[in-house]
Amino acid sequence: MQKHNVCLCDDYRVKSSGDDVLLLASACLTNHEERSQRQTTCHTRCNVTDRSQGRLKRCAPNNAKIDNSKLKINCDPHSRNYLSNNTPPNRKNAFFRCVNPLLLISVLFIMSIAQVAAQSLADSDLNNQSLYASGYITAGARTTVGGNVQSATAVTLAANAIFAGNVEAGAATTLGADAGVVGYIEAGSTVTLGVAAIVNGFIQTGTTATVGASAIIDGSIVAGTTATFDTLVEVTGDVLAGTTVTVGAGSTFHGNVDAGTTTTIGAGVQIDGILTANSLLVPPPPLLVTNQEVLITTMQTALKDLGTGTELVSITFGVNNETLEAGIYSTIDYLTITGGKTLTLDGKGVDGTWIFNIANYLSFAIDAKVILLDVTDNSTIIWNVLGDKPGAAGYTQLGAGAETTGFILAKGFVQTGANTVIEGIANDCGGAYSATNFIEFGADSVIGQTGCTNGMAASITQAIADAPPEATIDFGDAPASYSSLAADNGASHSTENNTIFMGSGVDAEFDSYQFPLSDDVTDGNDDEDGVAFVTGLEVGNPALLELIVSTPAFVDAWIDFDGNGVFGTDEKIADTQAVIQGSNTLPYDVPEWAEAGNTWARFRLSSVGGLEPTGSFSDGEVEDHQVDITELNVSISYYPSASEWATIAFEDNWPSIGDYDFNDLVMNYRISEYRLNDEVIRIKLEGQVAAVGALHHNGFAFRLPGILRSTVDEDAIRYTINDIPQNTSPLELARNEAIAIVTNDVWDFVSAGINCNYYRTEPGCGTDIQMGFSMTLPMTNAIPSLQMPEFPYDPFLFATDGYDHSLAFGLPPGRAYEIHLPDKAPTEAFRTDFFGRRDDRSEPQNGRYFVSANGMPWAINVGVEMQYSLEYMDVIYAYPLFSSFIANEGLVNADWYIPENANTNNIFSN
Amino acid sequence: MNQLYSFVLLSTLLTGCGGGGGSESSTTNPTTVTNDSQPSNPLATPVQSQPVVTEFSLQESNPMEAEVIIESAAQTSHEILVPNGFALNSERSFNLKISRSEDDYQPAYLSLCSDYQQHSDGSYSINYNSCLLRTSLSDINYEAVITVTNDTKGLVAALWFMDGTKEPLIKDWRF
């Protein structure tokens, strides 16, 4: 086939022979305008604009003249890199038309995992493949495949099989007698053409090219080593072999023939171009086909996480004729259509998407058929054969005569008998990917109609975008290590059948919200309310929990007793446990090897039970809960409670009276005491910086009055800020008392909002909490209860070293400056000569500290997460009951500080 | 369950002389068994339990009553006069006492929690994540000092029995 083309020569060989410039283009590209406004590059051999018999060929872009005076690279410099070996060539078959069977599964759904995966697919080597297998691909006799084919290993066409697209093989490609490839062939190792085989495009092999008698190749041939041609072969393009070229009698070569080493030319061979032996030219290697198993598996998981939709019962579905409208369907085992039966996909005349998420295998028995009824051209059908049920291979089989439509993504092999059909909707090619295994088509099968076009890309994208947007999946909230996220095959339950749940209900999410921001915090709907740990968990002791359930069902539950971040099989506390509607009390044991501390528990309720901690299920609910495990007989006391925050709020102008907005530093905190035999063995301090309404640099700490520094087991301290373990001990050095420094400067961790002076005190200056801490202080010697300071111990503010703090001090007072709650004594680091300055009226001898002449404090402490005043707003305007609370010494309006008593205009809202 | 039985046996030996716990619980009533959960059939089968009188007592350590309500004239915090060195504490101290009868020595677990609801049928829903105290009880008497912040509207004590044959005992106080 002769074409007049403008060429971009991506690869060229240059020889000069006197005045002639010889360009051998092994693979040229031609740019066409193409319909659908997509520019495709059509492969053809680089034709000549000038031909001189036997001697000179020129190939130049845009018909530019070759300048003989220098070796002019008349090729688009971009194109030289355009086809490097490791990038997708995006070369398409051009011969019948510039068809471009793209396969672009762009799953535009709300879940970002799917989007990322889809984009990866779109950008990958699979973008334009109709068939891909990590194993081999074999087409039986007379089988036709309409689109492009890619195998990470070998591709084999039996006799008379025809591939209308391109073939890319990681290893060998073999065509039987009279087989044909309309596009090009790229093979990592060998290409072998049988008798009378036809290849319309070019052939590029890593090693040998062996062409049988009477074969016809329209494109060029590049072989890494030997090129061997039998008799009566016709080759239109150029031939380049790294070593020998052997040509049988009667063969015809319309282009050049170049052998790196020797040539052996039979009788009556016609070579129109230049025959060169011992050229020592090194042919370029073919395209590298990479294994796409990971990418396909990611896509399959993303499709699976679109939801379980309607469950099709494996043993009954497909036994008789079935009809399904568009939607998401799933099976917990296989999906089969019995021999001779039909599955009608009823589109009702509107664009629709069918996605089948199949846990085990897909099987169409002999003569089983998928029939399309009123299915529009823009519709999409995807068979997602996951094989993720334990022991499942995830294969797809079509018996003889079976016919299906759509695209098959299979974990395992795809195998068809004779006379089968896999086709796309309308002109789509359809096709199949096997992530881990082979694809085999029986004789006389049709995979995508020849001439199929417009792969699945646009139609799938549109159809998925039209899919129901509301989330239908409930996920677990435990941290990602427990496999909560969709991408980790997290525990999930379809909520479409909302009748089986724990507590008051179940809400669906798009993906697992990662603790600490579980969805119960963000959407205000606490669906983690079906489980109550009515007793604590003590190592080695039995325990009880209560489960509230909507309907009789089964529960599987785990507690991560050893705290390793994974729910192990020996950590299962309930296994297919039958539960009744309403309240159920479940006894369980905390094993001897459990670790004391905070960990996670997972509860999965379902209609059948026997679930694993991960993986999706079609009904029921998952609830994840945090639990505290203590040592045997250890009790816990909390201030203000296990789940609430208390608040200490400071005026940091001490010793001067300020504006009483009590928000210069606002800390939320909680204290837990762990006791054994009425002695405290450990305390835990947790908290967060709620607000910094001051420019001063202040630190925050807890003094433990009466507790010696040496009593604390410093090496065993665990201290985290924002969940990051801290390297240094929080215990203040060289002190007698135990003083736990949370931070030396809150401004190290928080920053003011944009256009704001302070952190979370001015209107419109809200941000998320930027600093949280957790400190566990074990004691080397247990402290008898009578010696323990009362809650809330002695939280205090101190000035950061090196910063000015108040005009009351000539030099920056630094650590020696402290503010405590009224009548709490300062620490040993304090400079007592600071007392009495400015407005301070402390009387240490009378036990009065940090109060003004009016008895007003510089710090207040309340038992809730306080909604503090706006900047500069006197607290009395935010909490009008404040003054009568004080006037009556706390006997009236003791709860002056609760949100219900606040003037909402004057409090900060985030 | 072997562990449980041995525990019971042991506590019999240890608490044989346990003092009957002064129950001057003038502020509370003797507890009756409260149903907040039905035993579930697939699990332990409930046994008819002997009537047991367990006393729960929660008394403020230093109770004070306001005799006269004082009006405050302060319009701003600068005008507030704090009387008598009041330190603006926002919490109170309570003594919790639990006394079980001498033959009620089975292992039990106590939770004292602030977030709960009592329903019209007398049952309770308790948020066990909101507790001020969580402890296993080995003795028949238990005492503790509880610091309760002023915003707390009530407290509920839930005593669960580990062998599952008895329903939990629930007692609450409203402030």
Side-chain angles (χ1 to χ4, degrees), chain A residues 255-540:
Chain A
N256 302 315
V257 176
D258 185 315
T261 60
T262 61
T263 62
T264 306
I265 310 298
V269 166
Q270 172 188 334
I271 299 179
D272 295 339
I274 299 175
L275 173 63
T276 310
N278 299 310
S279 70
L280 300 178
L281 287 178
V282 178
L287 165 80
L288 184 68
V289 176
T290 54
N291 185 297
Q292 302 293 346
E293 174 181 344
V294 170
L295 179 59
I296 296 171
T297 305
T298 303
M299 273 312 305
Q300 290 197 276
T301 304
L303 283 169
K304 172 182 168 184
D305 292 330
L306 295 179
T308 51
T310 303
E311 189 186 333
L312 306 176
V313 180
S314 299
I315 55 176
T316 57
F317 186 84
V319 172
N320 297 307
N321 294 340
E322 303 274 4
T323 301
L324 291 177
E325 295 176 19
I328 300 177
Y329 298 93
S330 67
T331 63
I332 57 174
D333 200 345
Y334 54 82
L335 178 68
T336 60
I337 308 295
T338 306
K341 299 300 178 186
T342 61
L343 166 60
T344 300
L345 302 183
D346 184 357
K348 300 204 174 299
V350 296
D351 294 346
T353 301
W354 288 259
I355 298 176
F356 295 91
N357 287 318
I358 301 164
N360 197 342
Y361 61 81
L362 170 64
S363 165
F364 298 94
I366 295 175
D367 292 323
K369 294 193 198 324
V370 172
I371 297 173
L372 302 190
L373 173 63
D374 296 332
V375 173
T376 65
D377 289 357
N378 275 341
S379 297
T380 304
I381 301 167
I382 303 178
W383 308 89
N384 188 20
V385 187
L386 292 154
D388 64 352
K389 179 185 153 69
Y395 62 79
T396 298
Q397 264 182 334
L398 275 70
E403 295 177 5
T404 187
T405 305
F407 193 76
I408 299 172
L409 281 173
K411 173 183 168 186
F413 65 78
V414 177
Q415 187 178 56
T416 80
N419 292 300
T420 59
V421 174
I422 301 175
E423 61 184 1
I425 297 175
N427 285 330
D428 291 346
C429 292
Y433 288 170
S434 170
T436 68
N437 217 326
F438 62 83
I439 297 181
E440 266 180 16
F441 299 118
D444 297 298
S445 292
V446 175
I447 315 299
Q449 303 291 349
T450 302
C452 58
T453 65
N454 291 340
M456 304 291 271
S459 55
I460 290 182
T461 305
Q462 185 63 47
I464 300 297
D466 294 340
E470 73 268 8
T472 57
I473 310 169
D474 174 41
F475 284 94
D477 288 333
S481 70
Y482 293 101
S483 294
S484 306
L485 291 172
D488 299 322
N489 191 29
S492 68
H493 296 252
S494 168
T495 60
E496 294 197 344
N497 171 21
N498 273 21
T499 59
I500 302 175
F501 53 87
M502 295 176 271
S504 59
V506 54
D507 64 354
E509 309 108 0
F510 292 113
D511 198 345
S512 170
Y513 279 73
Q514 287 300 283
F515 176 82
L517 200 69
S518 86
D519 71 308
D520 301 320
V521 172
T522 53
D523 72 3
N525 174 25
D526 185 355
D527 71 333
E528 310 295 300
D529 61 352
V531 180
F533 292 91
V534 299
T535 74
L537 286 75
E538 294 180 7
V539 174

Side-chain angles (χ1 to χ4, degrees), chain A residues 772-792:
Chain A
F773 70 90
S774 175
M775 202 189 289
T776 303
L777 305 171
M779 304 301 163
T780 53
N781 305 311
I783 303 169
S785 286
L786 291 175
Q787 291 176 21
M788 268 314 275
E790 284 184 358
F791 288 138

Side-chain angles (χ1 to χ4, degrees), chain A residues 714-715 717-721 724-731 749:
Chain A
E714 189 167 19
D715 294 332
I717 293 177
R718 284 208 301 273
Y719 182 40
T720 65
I721 296 181
I724 301 171
Q726 301 298 297
N727 295 327
T728 53
S729 166
L731 276 188
F749 293 97

Side-chain angles (χ1 to χ4, degrees), chain A residues 777-816:
Chain A
L777 305 171
M779 304 301 163
T780 53
N781 305 311
I783 303 169
S785 286
L786 291 175
Q787 291 176 21
M788 268 314 275
E790 284 184 358
F791 288 138
Y793 306 156
D794 185 8
F796 67 97
L797 173 156
F798 62 92
T800 310
D801 278 335
Y803 289 93
D804 282 324
H805 208 282
S806 158
L807 296 174
F809 310 102
L811 293 170
R815 179 63 186 88

